[in-house]
């Protein structure tokens, strides 16, 4: 890989590796503090997402998502048990006084504001409404609770809040003199979706492939290094750079700066998250994806097309480029362009995952952690980074910066493309299970280092560190998804679980085996110089002859 391509890969990887975290993308966002909404008699429902299916003149139309109130009747979970009722617009709109409408078990739609939620529900119930839809004055959903002084509530109709845009759509339906009816139900989300299993396999498999490629390259470089050292000293070129071409070794300073840079970039994403900026990120992702896919395909195909892989042609700005690279590049560019053009279609996640995996594998092949000290600094800083931007940032920005950026809330799109995702297959709420590149790349750097060390030290799989590091990463990611489901789909910082498992296992095992000093400092097993070995063998041979 030439210098320009290398810089391009590193630049793109630096921009993307720490941006996202795993989270479940659901149909709606609920914004409220559960701790300030205690349950009490008459106000003890669980907060649930509610599907509001509409029919216009008897024809099935749009479906909206709301959130049920703490008070009122619990909403049925099965669609077949939900009744279809006529929808009417309240008069007055806020329903803070008795509605003038004549209701016959209809669903009444009202605006938020001017009085308590429970007041609106009581007035709707008194007017013979079967359910109440409250339209929020914001894009988000809000959990409707009871005031502390409300102790004797007797509300027997379900109450649901819908976001502002849903209210606008429903009002347009009603204003066209059409007959509009709705159906309310709240299907239960499965504890585990098969998408999370496939996503786990994808993340583990990506690190596995990248680690073996990195270790194989390191071993080949070490063999080449030893061959050169066996030559006469006056014929040896400068071997300090042998096998290091195209590689980037991180040091402790760059590890800390990497996280600082990622924080600055995350804030920039948060502040500038708009349509045009997402489009720019798509272009950057495509550039990195093309380079990654090209590098992986060339490395794979060169085993069968060795002749054209080793034949080069000089191209201005790009330097020496192999004929195999020239043959593969048009396909890679076309693949990325097609994905970018059709990235909003339902199956576009496949192309995004292919480009993302190829980019991650390439970066893990190029960027190396030289020892355990650097790996510890990098993962520890990333651990704090993840926690801060998922949880602590709420205190400064009134929302989780990481989650907002990952979902693309301010862009009007599905979010930034720097993540792997799979559609949730058995979830009635749809959406995607996703994992950010940083949650694969950062632990992957340490896992790849473990396999390079094992191979250079000639350790077996069981006696080495790779098997245990790989297992620890898999368990950490598994715990992340368990926590994600226990938190009802709210985003979780994956490194909160992955770093203690992966780094903790490595440090504990290294200390127990007595390898911690070598792992921490040099990161490579001590290997005697071939000249010294040759000298010892010559002395032993002379002694035997005597």
């Amino acid at each position: 890989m030439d210098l320009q391509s290398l810089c391009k890969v590193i630049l793109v990887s630096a921009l993307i590796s720490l941006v996202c975290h795993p989270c479940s993308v659901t149909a709606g966002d609920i914004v409220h503090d559960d701790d300030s909404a205690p349950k009490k008699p008459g106000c003890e429902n669980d907060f649930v997402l509610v599907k509001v299916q509409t029919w216009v003149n008897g024809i099935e139309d749009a479906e909206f998502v709301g959130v049920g109130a703490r008070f009122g009747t619990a909403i049925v979970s099965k669609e077949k048990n939900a009744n279809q009722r006529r929808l009417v617009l309240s008069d007055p709109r806020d329903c803070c006084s008795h509605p003038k409408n004549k209701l016959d078990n209809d669903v009444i739609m009202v605006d938020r504001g001017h009085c308590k939620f429970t007041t609106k529900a009581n007035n709707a119930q008194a007017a013979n409404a079967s359910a109440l839809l409250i339209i929020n004055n914001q894009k988000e959903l809000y959990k409707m609770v009871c005031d502390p002084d409300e102790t004797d509530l007797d509300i027997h109709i379900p109450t649901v809040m819908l976001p502002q845009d849903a209210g606008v759509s429903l009002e347009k339906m009603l204003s066209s003199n059409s007959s509009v009816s709705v159906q309310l139900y709240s299907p239960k989300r499965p504890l585990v979706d098969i998408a999370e299993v496939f996503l786990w396999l994808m993340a583990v498999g990506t690190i596995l492939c990248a680690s073996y490629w990195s270790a194989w390259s390191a071993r080949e470089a070490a063999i080449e290094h030893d061959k050169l050292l066996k030559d006469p000293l006056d014929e040896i070129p400068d071997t300090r750079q042998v096998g290091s071409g195209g590689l980037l070794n991180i040091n402790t300073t760059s590890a800390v700066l990497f996280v600082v840079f990622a924080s600055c970039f995350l804030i920039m994403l948060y502040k500038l998250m708009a349509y045009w900026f997402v489009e720019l990120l798509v272009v950057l992702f495509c550039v990195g994806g093309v380079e990654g896919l090209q590098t992986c395909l060339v490395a794979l195909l060169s085993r069968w097309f060795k002749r054209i892989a080793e034949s080069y042609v000089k191209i201005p700005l790009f330097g020496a480029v192999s004929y195999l690279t020239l043959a593969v590049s048009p396909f890679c560019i076309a693949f990325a362009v097609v994905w970018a053009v059709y990235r909003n279609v339902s199956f576009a996640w496949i192309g995004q995952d292919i480009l993302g995996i190829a980019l991650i594998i390439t970066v893990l092949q190029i960027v190396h952690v030289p020892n355990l000290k650097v790996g510890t600094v990098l993962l520890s800083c990333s651990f704090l980074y993840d926690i801060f931007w998922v949880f602590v940032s709420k205190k400064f920005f009134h929302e989780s910066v990481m989650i907002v950026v990952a979902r693309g809330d301010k862009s009007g799109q599905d979010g930034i493309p720097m993540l792997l995702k799979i559609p949730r297959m058995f979830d009635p709420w749809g959406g995607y299970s996703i994992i950010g590149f940083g949650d694969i790349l950062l632990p992957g750097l340490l896992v790849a280092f473990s396999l390079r060390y094992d191979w250079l030290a000639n350790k077996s799989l069981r006696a080495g560190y790779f098997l245990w590091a790989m297992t620890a990463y898999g368990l950490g990611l598994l715990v992340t998804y368990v926590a994600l489901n226990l938190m009802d789909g709210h985003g979780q910082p994956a490194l909160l679980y992955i770093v203690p498992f992966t780094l903790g296992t490595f440090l504990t095992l290294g200390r127990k085996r007595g390898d911690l000093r070598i792992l921490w400092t040099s990161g490579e097993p001590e290997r005697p110089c071939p000249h010294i070995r040759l000298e010892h063998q010559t002395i032993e041979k002379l002694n035997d002859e005597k």
Side-chain angles (χ1 to χ4, degrees), residues 228-529:
L228 288 172
L229 287 177
K230 287 178 183 178
D231 294 334
L233 285 174
D234 55 353
E235 297 179 9
I236 300 178
D238 184 4
T239 59
R240 289 175 293 179
Q241 300 301 322
V242 173
S244 64
L247 297 181
L248 176 67
N249 282 318
I250 303 174
N251 55 37
T252 52
T253 304
S254 59
V256 175
L257 291 176
F258 189 55
V259 176
V260 173
F261 172 80
S263 296
C264 296
F265 186 65
L266 185 65
I267 294 174
M268 186 172 69
L269 280 173
Y270 177 72
K271 294 295 184 181
L272 298 178
M273 184 59 72
Y275 176 80
W276 69 269
F277 198 70
V278 173
E279 293 296 312
L280 176 61
L281 292 177
V282 168
V283 172
L284 291 175
F285 173 72
C286 287
V287 171
V290 167
E291 182 66 30
L293 188 60
Q294 174 186 287
T295 303
C296 291
L297 287 177
V298 168
L300 186 65
L301 295 175
S302 61
R303 299 175 64 87
W304 292 281
F305 303 97
K306 199 169 184 180
R307 191 172 175 180
I308 61 172
E310 294 176 352
S311 301
Y312 293 86
V313 61
K314 243 186 175 182
I315 298 179
L317 298 178
F318 292 93
V321 179
S322 71
Y323 284 102
L324 183 58
T325 301
L326 288 177
V328 167
S329 294
F331 167 77
C332 298
I333 294 171
F335 187 92
V337 170
V338 169
W339 171 82
V341 172
Y342 296 100
R343 69 181 184 279
N344 293 322
V345 300
S346 59
F347 53 84
W349 61 272
I350 300 173
Q352 181 172 326
D353 288 350
I354 291 172
L355 291 171
I357 289 172
L359 177 58
I360 292 171
I361 290 176
T362 301
V363 172
L364 288 176
Q365 164 68 8
I366 295 169
V367 182
H368 284 185
V369 167
N371 52 50
L372 189 54
K373 177 184 176 182
V374 174
T376 301
V377 172
L378 180 63
L379 287 183
S380 299
C381 291
S382 303
F383 174 80
L384 297 175
Y385 163 91
D386 230 14
I387 293 174
F388 180 85
W389 290 112
V390 174
F391 295 132
V392 184
S393 62
K394 292 180 183 178
K395 297 185 180 298
F396 301 97
F397 299 91
H398 307 295
E399 58 186 349
S400 174
V401 173
M402 184 82 83
I403 294 177
V404 169
V405 170
R407 282 196 312 235
D409 289 356
K410 298 181 178 181
S411 66
Q413 299 194 49
D414 290 334
I416 59 177
M418 288 77 171
L419 44 84
L420 304 183
K421 65 180 185 178
I422 296 180
R424 296 177 66 84
M425 302 174 190
F426 301 108
D427 192 334
W429 296 102
Y432 292 88
S433 290
I434 64 176
I435 183 170
F437 286 0
D439 301 325
I440 303 174
L441 273 171
L442 294 170
L445 290 170
L446 189 66
V447 175
F449 162 73
S450 69
L451 187 59
R452 289 197 301 272
Y453 179 86
D454 287 351
W455 280 20
L456 293 175
N458 294 319
K459 289 182 177 289
S460 65
L461 190 63
R462 187 175 178 182
Y465 294 92
F466 172 72
L467 175 64
W468 308 106
M470 194 74 248
T471 303
Y473 173 79
L475 287 174
L477 188 57
L478 181 63
V479 170
T480 302
Y481 284 112
V482 171
L484 186 68
N485 285 294
L486 291 176
M487 297 295 179
D488 196 26
H490 292 289
Q492 293 293 298
L495 296 181
L496 173 65
Y497 309 97
I498 294 173
V499 169
F501 271 87
T502 309
L503 189 58
T505 299
F506 212 142
L507 290 170
T508 303
L509 203 58
R511 182 180 178 84
K512 184 178 179 181
R513 293 176 174 176
D515 296 333
L516 189 57
R517 184 184 63 82
I518 296 175
L519 289 168
W520 188 264
T521 54
S522 65
E524 292 184 2
E526 295 179 355
R527 293 182 298 155
C529 177

Side-chain angles (χ1 to χ4, degrees), residues 43-261:
C43 191
E44 52 191 356
N45 293 339
D46 292 327
F47 291 121
V48 293
L49 289 173
V50 180
K51 289 194 174 187
V52 180
Q53 179 63 58
T54 63
W55 281 264
V56 179
N57 295 328
I59 300 174
E60 187 172 340
D61 206 282
E63 180 183 84
F64 304 102
V65 175
V67 60
R70 186 72 99 188
F71 51 85
T73 304
I75 298 166
V76 298
S77 60
K78 294 184 178 179
E79 184 179 5
K80 64 180 181 181
N81 297 331
N83 295 320
Q84 191 178 138
R85 301 290 184 186
R86 185 170 71 102
L87 179 69
V88 298
L89 189 61
S90 175
D91 181 20
R93 291 285 297 266
D94 57 16
C95 200
C96 289
S97 58
H98 194 281
K100 299 174 184 177
N101 312 63
K102 290 184 179 181
L103 304 179
D104 182 20
N105 243 9
D106 300 321
V107 177
I108 188 169
M109 185 172 79
V110 309
D111 291 339
R112 178 183 176 182
H114 303 132
C115 61
K116 298 176 182 178
F117 294 127
T118 50
T119 300
K120 297 176 188 288
N122 279 320
N123 288 333
Q125 181 174 279
N128 198 31
S130 63
L132 173 65
L133 296 182
I134 299 179
I135 305 304
N136 197 10
N137 51 17
Q138 299 175 18
K139 216 169 87 173
E140 294 82 11
L141 294 173
Y142 189 87
K143 291 180 178 177
M144 296 178 287
V145 298
C146 311
D147 286 350
D149 58 345
E150 294 179 302
T151 56
D152 189 21
L153 292 172
D154 189 27
I155 300 172
H156 299 296
I157 61 172
T159 304
V160 176
M161 174 166 283
L162 288 174
Q164 189 177 42
D165 53 354
V168 172
S169 299
L170 288 171
E171 192 171 343
K172 284 182 180 177
M173 294 178 187
L174 291 169
S175 63
S176 62
N177 295 322
S178 301
S179 173
V180 181
S181 56
V182 295
Q183 184 183 40
L184 313 181
Y185 63 103
S186 178
K188 294 182 179 178
R189 170 173 280 131
L191 287 176
V192 179
D193 192 272
I194 193 68
E196 291 168 356
V197 177
F198 284 118
L199 199 62
W200 183 91
L201 290 172
M202 249 167 40
V204 171
T206 299
I207 292 181
L208 193 68
C209 293
S211 297
Y212 271 97
W213 187 11
S214 177
W216 178 83
S217 300
R219 187 166 64 179
E220 290 294 308
I223 293 172
E224 184 67 23
H225 186 266
D226 286 348
K227 283 181 180 178
L228 288 172
L229 287 177
K230 287 178 183 178
D231 294 334
L233 285 174
D234 55 353
E235 297 179 9
I236 300 178
D238 184 4
T239 59
R240 289 175 293 179
Q241 300 301 322
V242 173
S244 64
L247 297 181
L248 176 67
N249 282 318
I250 303 174
N251 55 37
T252 52
T253 304
S254 59
V256 175
L257 291 176
F258 189 55
V259 176
V260 173
F261 172 80

